[in-house]
Amino acid sequence: MTRVASLFLPQLPIERLRRAERPSSPPEPARPGPRFPEPVDDNPGACSVPRGGGWRPGARWAHDARPDASAIDALPAHQRPTMRELGRRSEAASPIFRTLRSDDGPPPGAAAPIMPLWGVRPTILVARTGQRDLVTAVCPAALDLGLVPGMAAAHARALVSDLDICDADPDADRAWLDRLALHAARYWTPSAAVSGSDGLWLDLSGTTHLFGGEERFAARLLGFLKRLGFSARVAIAGTPGAAHALARYGGASVRILPEGGEGEALAPMPLAALRLTPDALAAAARFGIERIADLYPMPRGPLARRLGRAAVERLDQARGHVPEPIVPVIPFEMPEARRALLEPIGTAEAIEQVISDLLGDLVPQLRERSLGIRSLVLRCDRVDMGQQLITIGTARATRDAKHLLRLFRLRIDRIEPGLGIETMLLAAPQVEPLAPEAIGAGFDTAREAPDLAPLVDALAGRAGEAALFRLSAIESDVPERAIGRADPMAKPVGWPVWTRPVRMLTRPEALSGVVALLPDHPPRRFAWRGRSYSVVAGDGPERIHGEWWRRVGEMWAVRDYFRVEAESGERFWLFRRGDAVTDNSGDLSWYMHGVFG
């Protein structure tokens, strides 16, 4: 007997977004009650305004006899006019609609607020479709206000002013569904697959007895998702199509359909429950077909001509006449090799031999799966129940056992065997696809570029991964902002055409005793770090303006850079603040910024 469960997540995009933005501190109560800004005056006393209302500036009596400030102050608080009505237009009028909130809940007999309070503003997700921004998902509060998926974002803004608009991220939603499917394949059922963009299919054939039956499994599944912050509906039926339709159009949070009841349960549902294409739904609307039950008495030939063969196939799959296979996700199994030793070992030679044997077991697994290693973890279980972990990383995916063994030799001295090591496990937590490489023919005279990855791995094993890096260009005109660190194997691009020094100081250092002819000549003499230099040649200036969009102080800032050569042969890169023409461009002070090789 085939039993399939369909998991439907109606608010997946909104709830995933709120789960990602959830603060670490405990949130405030989700549904606070009304809060009154001030106590209600049950005894207002004598009233000096006409019967039936408060201050009305447009009334005739208000123009004839406007009370002064003392008379207004004598009025009860609930009958005093606002400042805008008194003629002080510089102050904003109080809002017409107010949201009343209270931590104690509404008083007895108070009317419920118009919009439910969810602790956050109404939220919608918007995606760009052609030349329009369309709403793809709405939260329950926005749904109560009349916002629905598919409407224009401009229309939604016009209907609700206080609206939180976020960009839709279908890739993140799909990634979350993939993770949930992998979790289901590991803990619930071996056959789990993603169903569209808002649900999962779970093949429960022969597995529900492990959870106490289908009802208890559905309750457990909903409880798991509720703890994660997601709302869901679950339907269990004999076919994937029926379970899919009941989860989305059944109405109940849990719907369990007995075997063989798919046709009767699907009859009152709309045609959209069969996952038909928009063209098929439009054609069915033209012929007056609204429910699935309307398709049962129709001959297959005319039905296929009107709605297409896919509609007939979907109907047969939902009723169980045609099988609908589920393509399950396959959890990734970490490549690993394990050796249980007959006797505990403790010498470096014995540990190296076992590591070599583990690599000999692991490399064939990687070759069969076309994978390469980026990181390896060696776990040594000692006799005294202690563990030692040694990790190595590679700059590029590799399956070279000799190279990996050389990297482990650099770290064998970090292993403390204690009374002896009895079990060793080698696992590859980070792998990448690695296809076979083509070898050039013997008559190919072109020289291949040397592979630097083994050298980078060896140096990183001795000096540490943080000690190796390359310089990468960053989009900025200011020199100290235009260079950053990059991966040792990266290929930096975007270097400026202007000559830059080999060594650049982290912060420019001030020069003293500078002798220079303004405004465009390099200095003839300067002192730096307690030593005086005489310049025999110079080139420049290279003018660099400040980045005004970063801060106001760089609005008019100017630097004039010069390349100079001293009598002793050193070549420096220094600059002057200011253009020597306008006062607001700089104070004409000189600084050392780099040294050429």
Side-chain angles (χ1 to χ4, degrees), residues 324-405:
E324 183 179 0
I326 297 177
V327 182
V329 297
I330 300 177
F332 174 78
E333 297 181 359
M334 184 186 304
E336 61 180 25
R338 180 187 178 91
R339 286 293 178 95
L341 307 177
L342 296 178
E343 295 182 359
I345 60 175
T347 63
E349 293 78 7
I351 294 174
E352 180 181 347
Q353 182 60 42
V354 176
I355 294 176
S356 178
D357 297 339
L358 291 173
L359 289 172
D361 297 339
L362 185 62
V363 169
Q365 301 180 27
L366 299 171
R367 189 178 294 111
E368 292 178 359
R369 300 168 61 175
S370 298
L371 297 176
I373 292 174
R374 287 300 307 272
S375 65
L376 274 176
V377 178
L378 176 66
R379 191 186 74 187
C380 303
D381 297 334
R382 302 188 307 194
V383 177
D384 57 356
M385 306 302 292
Q387 287 186 354
Q388 288 282 312
L389 295 178
I390 301 297
T391 304
I392 63 171
T394 59
R396 184 179 298 166
T398 180
R399 290 193 296 262
D400 189 354
K402 295 181 179 180
H403 174 60
L404 296 174
L405 182 59

Side-chain angles (χ1 to χ4, degrees), residues 69-84:
S70 59
I72 294 176
D73 295 337
L75 293 176
H78 68 286
Q79 292 181 345
R80 294 175 185 173
T82 61
M83 287 298 180
R84 188 177 181 88

Side-chain angles (χ1 to χ4, degrees), residues 163-314:
L163 196 60
D164 191 4
I165 302 176
C166 303
D167 294 332
D169 193 353
D171 295 336
D173 299 337
R174 177 71 185 195
W176 194 90
L177 285 177
D178 292 339
R179 292 179 57 190
L180 184 60
L182 290 175
H183 180 85
R186 290 190 179 101
Y187 298 100
W188 299 335
T189 174
S191 299
V194 177
S195 173
S197 60
D198 55 6
L200 297 180
W201 269 324
L202 307 175
D203 189 354
L204 303 181
S205 302
T207 61
T208 52
H209 68 281
L210 302 175
F211 304 95
E214 296 177 349
E215 295 182 0
R216 295 191 62 181
F217 172 77
R220 180 175 179 177
L221 180 57
L222 292 180
F224 171 77
L225 293 172
K226 184 178 180 180
R227 290 193 298 271
L228 293 180
F230 293 88
S231 58
R233 296 203 295 264
V234 181
I236 302 177
T239 63
H244 184 278
L246 292 173
R248 288 155 178 78
Y249 298 91
S253 59
V254 176
R255 182 76 180 272
I256 300 177
L257 189 65
E259 185 72 19
E262 289 80 9
E264 182 180 357
L266 293 174
M269 293 187 179
L271 286 182
L274 291 179
R275 295 169 290 159
L276 302 183
T277 61
D279 295 339
L281 294 176
R286 287 196 302 268
F287 290 107
I289 303 174
E290 299 178 354
R291 301 181 306 161
I292 298 179
D294 299 336
L295 303 179
Y296 293 168
M298 297 182 63
R300 296 304 177 87
L303 180 60
R305 286 194 300 270
R306 289 182 173 89
L307 305 184
R309 295 182 58 183
V312 178
E313 184 179 3
R314 290 296 190 191

